[in-house]
Amino acid sequence: MQTIINIANTVFKPLIDMGAAPIMLVVLTIIAWIVGVKFTRALEGGIRLAISITAISAVMNILTSSFSAALQQFVTNTGIELNITDVGWAPLATITWGSAYTLYFLLVTIVVNIVMLFIKKTDTLDVDIFNVWHLAITGLFCKFMGASLLVTTLLIIFIAVLKIINSDLMKPTFNDLLDAPDDNPMTTTHMNYMMNPIVMVFDNIIAKLFPGLDKHDFDSAKLNSKIGFWGSKFAIGVYLGLFIGILSRQSIKETLSLAFTAALCLELFSVIGQWFIESVEPLSQGIADFATKKLGGRKFNIGLDWPFIAGRSEMWAAANILAPIMLFLAMILPGNKVLPLGGIIAMGLTPALLVVTRGKIIRMVIIGIFMLPIFLWSGTLIAPYATEAAKAVGAFPEGLSSQALITHSTLEGPIEKFLAYFVGQANIGNAKMILFAILAIAVYLGLFMWYRKQMLKRNEEYKKNIQK
């Protein structure tokens, strides 16, 4: 297996040396063409992806160069050592796709999905190719912590199987949230929904301790409408810039500059993020068409990126409320070294909150407060890997000191990062970590199986309601 990777690295090294954007231009175009997408359409997707990667790097350079000095002064003035820079999800995606192993992990997940379809253990075809990087970065971190490629592959397969099973479990809930018919094909295998089991534990606790809480719930659409601009990404960026500027004792001019720069960058993160999604649409459609032909026209669900559910206002209301709470938690949370910036809008968490609570906004906020520390600790944990990997592929932000660390504060799959840490450490012979790894995997699997039973009960209720 290592020989295969070594050969791949030798063959692709000239391309890798060109940088992340050219790599993904070539890779996406070729793969889409192979699965039957018209070459010009495949090339369009590749160019869009290259532009997206270039754009996000430019925005991150603006953000990090603008905030670097102020953040250093912030640490000095407050004594709070939040010295890991939160660069958001897109730079981490660039870093991950810059590794030759990511293509290998992509192949593994495709094979797993196809096998599960053929043996009828799932009805979901995962076409969300781009977001395989969320699982790939877990594997890369596992290797970084000491795991062999074989052990890392087994971990990837284990998580991939559960992700695909989860996509089937969530399908009726998506129909309910979207008010869609039963034959609606949309579901997702996105890593952010792997938080569902833990969210459901908190949801059940709230239901038992506070049975009347939902009577006080409110209309999130009206809340978002009332907040308006003051809860937007623009406004949150301004708040962050003013906060850092004041505590780092910048001049009025410098403080306002930080505020407007942060507002610009947070908004552009969202805009450019949509470019990423659009860039892989040709490939996703090509794979769907290819699978339909090869599977004899069998009907199945389509695993898309999570934003098909983004129209639900509860997600954005919860994100707006949780953003300042996360900033406060970051300053008082023991073991956290990350100042939330690129990930302040917690899209790694709020979709799971929406699905499990089915849009009960008070529950979403309460559970979110308990979940945010997991993300901050995970972001702190992976920072050494993210930094080293960024430097290796030439994606380290230019505005930062060479000694600085980078991460993403709300990166999807935080629990899986801890699993990767324990498995990696166990693989190098650490006796304590072997025990921790076994225990962690057992708890993770046990919790998922409990969650599966709860979701199957929920889905039976949906089925009875449809029959009525």
Side-chain angles (χ1 to χ4, degrees), residues 8-259:
N9 281 327
T10 301
V11 172
F12 290 109
K13 191 175 187 304
L15 179 60
I16 292 171
D17 290 342
M18 293 172 65
I23 289 174
M24 292 318 303
L25 165 62
V26 174
V27 168
L28 189 72
T29 301
I30 291 176
I31 294 178
W33 190 34
I34 288 173
V35 296
V37 178
K38 186 179 178 181
F39 180 77
T40 53
R41 180 78 170 127
L43 181 61
E44 175 189 334
I47 292 173
R48 282 179 179 271
L49 183 56
I51 292 171
S52 302
I53 292 171
T54 302
I56 206 69
S57 297
V59 174
M60 278 314 309
N61 285 335
I62 293 172
L63 186 64
T64 54
S65 60
S66 298
F67 273 79
S68 180
L71 288 174
Q72 291 176 14
Q73 194 61 46
F74 170 84
V75 172
T76 301
N77 293 344
T78 63
I80 299 172
E81 295 187 13
L82 302 181
N83 50 9
I84 300 176
T85 303
D86 176 13
V87 297
W89 70 266
L92 271 293
T94 302
I95 291 165
T96 304
W97 277 110
S99 168
Y101 287 102
T102 297
L103 293 176
Y104 167 71
F105 294 140
L106 172 59
L107 176 61
V108 169
T109 57
I110 289 174
V111 170
V112 167
N113 190 195
I114 291 173
V115 169
M116 291 180 71
L117 282 167
F118 271 110
I119 64 176
K120 297 186 177 180
K121 294 300 181 181
T122 184
D123 292 318
T124 298
L125 172 66
D126 185 12
V127 300
D128 187 15
I129 299 299
F130 176 75
N131 281 308
V132 75
W133 77 267
H134 289 292
L135 182 55
I137 196 172
T138 301
L140 293 171
F141 180 57
C142 187
K143 281 190 89 297
F144 178 78
M145 295 311 304
S148 66
L149 184 58
L150 176 59
V151 170
T152 300
T153 302
L154 292 175
L155 179 65
I156 291 292
I157 293 172
F158 172 65
I159 298 173
V161 169
L162 297 188
K163 280 199 322 131
I164 294 169
I165 292 173
N166 191 36
S167 68
D168 291 320
L169 294 173
M170 294 187 292
K171 177 64 168 54
T173 298
F174 287 132
N175 289 347
D176 180 48
L177 292 171
L178 295 168
D179 195 22
D182 191 47
D183 60 358
N184 159 47
M186 293 187 296
T187 186
T188 180
T189 61
H190 205 283
M191 281 285 282
N192 51 19
Y193 294 103
M194 292 305 287
M195 295 296 291
N196 287 8
I198 297 179
V199 173
M200 185 166 279
V201 170
F202 283 107
D203 189 59
N204 281 14
I205 291 173
I206 290 174
K208 290 181 180 179
L209 295 182
F210 308 103
L213 181 65
D214 296 338
K215 296 178 182 178
H216 306 287
D217 219 50
F218 50 87
D219 190 324
S220 57
K222 289 182 179 178
L223 174 66
N224 285 341
S225 178
K226 288 181 179 179
I227 294 175
F229 171 82
W230 304 105
S232 67
K233 298 181 184 70
F234 279 132
I236 292 172
V238 170
Y239 305 150
L240 284 171
L242 292 176
F243 178 78
I244 298 299
I246 292 170
L247 289 186
S248 60
R249 300 174 189 171
Q250 304 292 300
S251 68
I252 294 177
K253 177 182 177 181
E254 290 169 331
T255 299
L256 291 176
S257 178
L258 289 176

Side-chain angles (χ1 to χ4, degrees), residues 253-461:
K253 177 182 177 181
E254 290 169 331
T255 299
L256 291 176
S257 178
L258 289 176
F260 301 148
T261 300
L264 166 71
C265 291
L266 287 187
E267 185 64 28
L268 286 180
F269 282 148
S270 177
V271 173
I272 298 170
Q274 186 61 37
W275 296 356
F276 276 94
I277 295 167
E278 292 172 357
S279 69
V280 297
E281 284 179 357
L283 176 59
S284 296
Q285 187 58 53
I287 290 177
D289 294 342
F290 181 83
T292 299
K293 293 176 184 177
K294 296 300 180 182
L295 293 175
R298 173 184 163 190
K299 292 183 179 180
F300 41 76
N301 304 324
I302 303 298
L304 304 171
D305 196 3
W306 74 264
F308 72 85
I309 199 72
R312 293 289 302 210
S313 57
E314 296 90 345
M315 271 201 326
W316 304 103
N320 286 335
I321 295 170
L322 289 172
I325 294 174
M326 178 160 61
L327 188 58
F328 173 74
L329 286 174
M331 292 189 293
I332 66 171
L333 186 66
N336 173 56
K337 300 295 182 183
V338 183
L339 177 66
L341 189 60
I344 194 71
I345 306 297
M347 288 298 102
L349 172 60
T350 52
L353 296 174
L354 174 71
V355 166
V356 174
T357 69
R358 288 183 276 195
K360 298 179 178 68
I361 190 68
I362 295 178
R363 290 195 191 199
M364 290 175 69
V365 172
I366 293 173
I367 297 170
I369 292 171
F370 288 98
M371 302 298 291
L372 287 173
I374 299 174
F375 284 88
L376 292 170
W377 284 324
S378 174
T380 300
L381 181 70
I382 68 167
Y385 161 72
T387 304
E388 183 174 307
K391 292 177 178 178
V393 299
F396 188 77
E398 295 176 4
L400 290 181
S401 161
S402 60
Q403 303 303 313
L405 296 176
I406 64 171
T407 192
H408 175 27
S409 60
T410 50
L411 179 62
E412 288 85 341
I415 299 298
E416 289 73 18
K417 305 303 181 294
F418 286 102
L419 280 183
Y421 173 80
F422 290 133
V423 170
Q425 288 288 287
N427 203 222
I428 61 177
N430 187 320
K432 184 189 295 185
M433 287 300 174
I434 292 174
L435 178 61
F436 284 163
I438 294 172
L439 182 61
I441 291 174
V443 171
Y444 182 82
L445 180 58
L447 192 58
F448 184 87
M449 297 309 294
W450 169 81
Y451 157 78
R452 177 178 175 274
K453 288 182 180 179
Q454 302 302 309
M455 290 296 284
L456 289 174
K457 289 179 183 178
R458 175 191 290 191
N459 294 343
E460 281 299 318
E461 292 175 5

